[in-house]
Amino acid sequence: MRFNFLFSALLLVMLSACAISEPEFNGFEGYRMKKIDGREVQLEIDADIENPNWFAFKLKKSNLEVFVDQNFLGTLHLDKKVKLKRKSSGIITIPLQAMLEEGALFSLMKYAGKDKVDVRLKGTAKVGVFIFSKKLTIDEKRQVSGKMFKNQGN
């Protein structure tokens, strides 16, 4: 009896983990640079994200390539887990580490003078519920204000 209950509960969790709906990314609210060391930049991004799932899940280690106006700027790394609450939407602070290409900081200053800039994030993100994980392919393209690339991004 106890085994059947545990097996049923485990099966239910496994099936629900396979049916993860992708979170909805609604845009950036800003960013803060924490540390710049050569081409390595530690920053926090405030993103407006909605989790439509009935369960919370964690965004795990992820790597994304960043393109601005079709020019490769560098790679973003998420090293810390970020928890997305169930059936929620709002601003989530995501700590990232960026490894920029040579001259990328000067390119960002060039984009700061433009009204609109195309930003593309491409790569994979790993999400998980309990012990179950799933890799999501990300290829998001958004148009943002060039003002976002000024000093502190706010």
Side-chain angles (χ1 to χ4, degrees), residues 32-124:
R32 288 169 299 289
M33 287 193 191
K34 294 294 189 179
K35 181 180 174 185
I36 300 175
D37 185 19
R39 293 180 10 209
E40 186 177 309
V41 178
Q42 291 180 359
L43 60 132
E44 290 180 342
I45 293 179
D46 295 329
D48 186 3
I49 298 178
E50 180 180 348
N51 179 9
N53 299 296
W54 60 270
F55 49 86
F57 64 89
K58 291 181 182 175
L59 182 60
K60 299 180 179 184
K61 290 187 178 185
S62 304
N63 294 311
L64 298 173
E65 295 177 337
V66 179
F67 298 87
V68 177
D69 280 348
Q70 299 179 1
N71 297 319
F72 180 68
L73 271 187
T75 307
L76 290 176
H77 304 281
L78 174 66
D79 294 328
K80 294 181 181 179
K81 295 177 184 176
V82 176
K83 186 173 182 177
L84 299 173
K85 295 180 182 178
R86 67 183 192 95
K87 295 267 187 190
S88 66
S89 66
I91 308 300
I92 296 174
T93 301
I94 304 171
L96 297 169
Q97 183 175 349
M99 194 59 155
L100 301 176
E101 288 291 299
E102 194 70 41
L105 289 175
F106 292 112
S107 296
L108 289 177
M109 286 189 272
K110 178 180 75 173
Y111 298 126
K114 292 186 175 184
D115 287 334
K116 296 287 182 186
V117 179
D118 290 324
V119 176
R120 181 179 179 200
L121 298 174
K122 183 179 179 182
T124 58

Side-chain angles (χ1 to χ4, degrees), residues 6-20 54-55 129-134:
L6 288 174
F7 180 76
S8 299
L10 183 61
L11 185 62
L12 179 64
V13 169
M14 286 175 40
L15 290 175
S16 66
C18 293
I20 294 175
W54 60 270
F55 49 86
V129 176
F130 191 48
I131 60 172
F132 306 103
S133 298
K134 181 177 181 179

